[in-house]
Amino acid sequence: MHRRTLLASTIAATGIMMSEATTNDAAAQDDRENTLFFDLKDGRVVIKLRPDLAPQHVERIKALVRQGFYDGTPFHRVIEGFMAQGGDPTGTGTGGSQMPDLPAEFSPPAKARFLRGVCGMARTAAPNSANSQFFIMFAPASSLDGQYTIWGQVTSGMEFVDKIKRGAGQSGMVREPDRLLKAQLAADAA
């Protein structure tokens, strides 16, 4: 009897460990699915995607990354002390993907704010016009809180974002801009 109880408890414990391992594997895979790499001229930037804040925008970023859409695109608008904007293959600030524009997924300031390293979606004056263009914040900008969609946060490599070539004037348009060399999800990385 004692032997069966011991065997049953051993099997149950193994099942719990296997269940925890499966859960941990699923969480690790989810983390890899929601981790984005931007390779810049000076190094790799790691971004934690935020599907909890903007599920449609995160899915769009992932789809475009998997298509190779962002590879080689310029950081066409870069303003010192504010942000670096990219994601427009034309480099003019007027281009985007062939996909339809997205509805706004603005977060209330109590939930998420535009701080250093936060990644947001660029848009026109129309709230539901985000497509492929994005920006990475150099510094906090409370004026953007609740007005633009937050889809990610730089977790490492911000020092490489800081080295992106700056633009001139109020528009921040960059002549001979730096480029996003390669974008990929950690889940797809070799």
Side-chain angles (χ1 to χ4, degrees), residues 113-135:
R113 306 194 68 169
F114 279 92
L115 305 172
R116 178 172 165 77
V118 165
C119 303
M121 285 302 268
R123 62 175 177 81
T124 67
N128 299 319
S129 61
N131 187 287
S132 66
Q133 293 187 47
F134 63 87
F135 55 92

Side-chain angles (χ1 to χ4, degrees), residues 52-122:
D52 58 314
L53 298 178
Q56 293 177 73
H57 286 74
V58 167
E59 283 307 310
R60 170 66 55 86
I61 295 285
K62 288 180 182 183
L64 292 174
V65 164
R66 286 189 163 125
Q67 291 174 14
F69 177 86
Y70 290 115
D71 297 352
T73 57
F75 283 96
H76 64 277
R77 183 171 176 248
V78 184
I79 301 173
E80 181 65 44
F82 182 40
M83 58 88 216
Q85 183 173 332
D88 173 5
T90 71
T92 64
T94 62
S97 77
Q98 296 299 313
M99 295 180 179
D101 291 345
L102 292 166
E105 293 180 293
F106 302 157
S107 300
K111 188 171 184 181
R113 306 194 68 169
F114 279 92
L115 305 172
R116 178 172 165 77
V118 165
C119 303
M121 285 302 268

Side-chain angles (χ1 to χ4, degrees), residues 38 40-45 75 78-84 115-118 136-140 154 156-167 178:
F38 276 0
L40 307 182
K41 69 178 177 13
D42 293 302
R44 176 168 279 180
V45 178
F75 283 96
V78 184
I79 301 173
E80 181 65 44
F82 182 40
M83 58 88 216
L115 305 172
R116 178 172 165 77
V118 165
I136 303 172
M137 302 301 298
F138 290 128
V154 173
S156 71
M158 194 61 198
E159 67 273 21
F160 306 129
V161 174
D162 288 336
K163 293 181 179 181
I164 295 171
K165 183 179 179 182
R166 303 308 199 258
D178 288 342

